[in-house]
């Protein structure tokens, strides 16, 4: 049997790096798309960079996508690239639409033109549910996005369905709820918390400023979620799947556990900053992943408290190496 090939857009991101590792472990030849002008750090893939084949292309440029797909000749394409930071979508709404919405169309059209047998995964998002119509949310829950990012993701989701139904492509969307890890971007609230807590523990910071502490989110561990992506493309029929833990927690809970992990009290360091709140908040996201559990055999394994501990410990170790400082045990002078 010939070696399977996969192409990943957004390969230098959190999900792209974990997915690339997973596919390499499964024996795939893994190709990744990077932007020539990207400032995205490649540190997440540095330890296996030599095992990847990287191509320069851009979701804004149809011609570059055509060239990459023809060169890589993949059986599977995972479209993970996007403007993915929700707050930034208010300051760059048009650019968010170009990448996160129309970029999906350009990729789907590329597959239709080059090889319609290629299987396609689209990274949809729980942000599409926004002001939720029901709790928990499943594949049939109506969308009500509350940010330009969420609106763009709804377009990307529906255009994927449209190409599946119009051109008989094996195209699926994974509606993934929040999934975190030590590779999460520092602009995201969970990583902001874990890294700032680590900095406070090492005497490198003295406060943590956050916006809405009480929004409820379904947080899981990213390496488990990329396995769900792969499973979706191994099925006999293309379907969309909600992927999450089915349990909701707040930034307040995440923060409390993070400070407990280092023997400190969150109340001594956390400050609420109204400037960090979203213009339109999403208050309660929680996944109903019954379809994924039944048809993919997928279920979240890492608990919320375990996720927090993994992230805080990783940031502590990284900052100790970088700063030369060492954490002190509780009560030490």
């Amino acid at each position: 049997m010939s070696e399977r090939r996969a192409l990943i857009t957004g390969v230098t991101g959190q999900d792209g790096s974990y997915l690339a590792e997973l596919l390499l472990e499964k024996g795939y030849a893994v190709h990744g798309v990077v932007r020539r002008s990207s400032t995205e750090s490649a540190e997440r893939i540095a330890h296996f960079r030599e095992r990847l084949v990287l191509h320069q292309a851009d979701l804004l440029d149809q011609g570059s996508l055509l060239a990459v797909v023809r060169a890589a000749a993949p059986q599977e394409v995972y479209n993970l690239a996007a403007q993915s930071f929700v707050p930034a979508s208010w300051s760059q709404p048009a650019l968010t639409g170009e990448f996160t919405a129309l970029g999906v169309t350009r990729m789907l059209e590329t597959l239709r033109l080059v090889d319609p047998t290629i299987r396609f995964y689209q990274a949809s998002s729980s942000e599409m549910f926004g002001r939720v119509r029901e709790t928990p949310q499943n594949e049939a829950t109506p969308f009500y996005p509350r940010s330009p990012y969420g609106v763009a993701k709804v377009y990307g989701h529906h255009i994927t369905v449209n190409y599946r139904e119009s051109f008989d492509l094996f195209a699926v969307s994974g509606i993934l709820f929040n999934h975190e890890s030590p590779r999460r971007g520092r602009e995201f609230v969970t990583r902001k918390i874990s890294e700032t807590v680590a900095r406070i523990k090492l005497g490198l910071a003295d406060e943590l400023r956050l916006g809405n502490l009480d929004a409820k989110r379904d947080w899981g561990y990213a390496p488990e979620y990329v396995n769900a992506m792969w499973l979706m493309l191994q099925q006999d029929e293309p379907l969309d799947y909600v992927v999450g833990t089915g349990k909701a927690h707040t930034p307040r809970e995440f923060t409390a556990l993070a400070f407990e992990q280092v023997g400190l009290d969150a109340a001594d360091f956390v400050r609420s900053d109204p400037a960090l709140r979203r213009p339109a908040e999403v208050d309660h996201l929680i996944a109903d992943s019954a379809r994924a559990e039944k048809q993919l055999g997928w279920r979240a394994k890492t608990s919320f408290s375990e996720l927090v501990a993994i992230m805080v410990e990783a940031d502590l170790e990284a900052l100790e190496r970088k700063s030369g400082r060492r954490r002190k045990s509780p009560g030490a002078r």
Side-chain angles (χ1 to χ4, degrees):
M1 179 178 173
S2 61
E3 186 177 46
R4 292 192 62 78
R5 294 176 304 282
L7 177 67
I8 304 171
T9 70
V11 71
T12 60
Q14 170 188 256
D15 290 6
S17 63
Y18 282 124
L19 177 62
E21 283 184 294
L22 175 72
L23 296 178
L24 287 170
E25 291 171 3
K26 293 182 178 297
Y28 280 67
V30 179
H31 296 247
V33 173
V34 295
R35 295 171 58 212
R36 180 184 294 275
S37 60
S38 177
T39 57
E40 179 86 50
S41 171
E43 64 180 340
R44 297 182 183 94
I45 62 172
H47 58 291
F48 60 93
R49 164 65 184 83
E50 70 284 354
R51 300 178 63 194
L52 302 176
V53 181
L54 298 183
H55 305 261
Q56 290 184 344
D58 198 309
L59 289 179
L60 303 185
D61 180 9
Q62 183 84 53
S64 70
L65 297 178
L66 285 163
V68 166
V69 172
R70 286 172 177 147
Q75 289 88 29
E76 299 171 6
V77 169
Y78 297 84
N79 186 42
L80 309 186
Q83 191 300 101
S84 60
F85 185 45
V86 175
S89 71
W90 274 284
S91 60
Q92 296 181 308
L95 184 63
T96 298
E98 285 288 347
F99 275 113
T100 308
L102 292 179
V104 185
T105 308
R106 295 186 187 100
M107 182 58 75
L108 285 163
E109 184 66 2
T110 295
L111 302 190
R112 185 183 73 84
L113 293 172
V114 175
D115 181 357
T117 69
I118 297 172
R119 295 191 169 201
F120 176 78
Y121 172 87
Q122 165 60 16
S124 287
S125 169
S126 60
E127 288 287 331
M128 300 188 304
F129 294 120
R131 181 181 286 176
V132 298
R133 305 291 85 186
E134 62 184 11
T135 301
Q137 296 89 48
N138 60 34
E139 295 82 4
T141 301
F143 299 137
Y144 194 142
R146 297 268 282 169
S147 67
Y149 170 81
V151 171
K153 280 293 186 182
V154 169
Y155 176 96
H157 181 87
H158 282 307
I159 199 67
T160 300
V161 173
N162 184 260
Y163 266 69
R164 178 170 72 215
E165 295 178 350
S166 300
F167 303 113
D168 199 29
L169 297 185
F170 193 108
V172 305
S173 289
I175 308 174
L176 271 55
F177 281 60
N178 295 65
H179 46 290
E180 319 298 317
S181 77
R183 298 184 192 175
R184 189 58 139 156
R186 289 173 172 82
E187 67 273 24
F188 290 87
V189 66
T190 52
R191 184 69 192 288
K192 179 180 180 180
I193 293 169
S194 65
E195 186 172 57
T196 305
V197 167
R199 292 179 66 83
I200 290 172
K201 179 63 177 179
L202 297 178
L204 299 170
D206 55 16
E207 70 173 8
L208 170 60
R209 302 185 74 83
L210 297 171
N212 186 354
L213 289 165
D214 297 309
K216 295 181 180 179
R217 293 290 187 275
D218 187 327
W219 276 308
Y221 188 38
E224 298 173 0
Y225 285 52
V226 299
N227 188 51
M229 299 176 188
W230 177 77
L231 287 168
M232 290 179 207
L233 293 194
Q234 313 313 308
Q235 304 306 301
D236 293 333
E237 298 294 332
L239 287 174
D240 305 322
Y241 295 89
V242 162
V243 177
T245 70
K247 298 177 181 178
H249 299 278
T250 65
R252 191 182 303 278
E253 292 175 77
F254 196 107
T255 302
L257 284 173
F259 276 103
E260 286 177 18
Q261 181 71 17
V262 298
L264 297 174
D265 186 346
D268 295 332
F269 303 99
V270 177
R271 306 290 180 263
S272 178
D273 186 346
L276 297 176
R277 288 177 173 264
R278 298 180 180 185
E281 187 55 82
V282 174
D283 294 316
H284 192 180
L285 296 177
I286 181 169
D288 174 1
S289 300
R291 175 186 284 182
E293 183 174 337
K294 180 179 179 180
Q295 296 185 218
L296 303 180
W298 185 91
R299 180 185 295 182
K301 298 176 182 177
T302 302
S303 71
F304 180 65
S305 60
E306 289 170 337
L307 170 64
V308 176
I310 288 169
M311 293 183 67
V312 171
E313 184 59 30
D315 276 323
L316 270 171
E317 291 179 359
L319 284 168
E320 284 178 329
R321 288 193 301 270
K322 183 177 181 180
S323 70
R325 299 204 181 193
R326 295 292 178 265
R327 72 193 87 177
K328 294 179 181 179
S329 59
R333 294 187 177 183

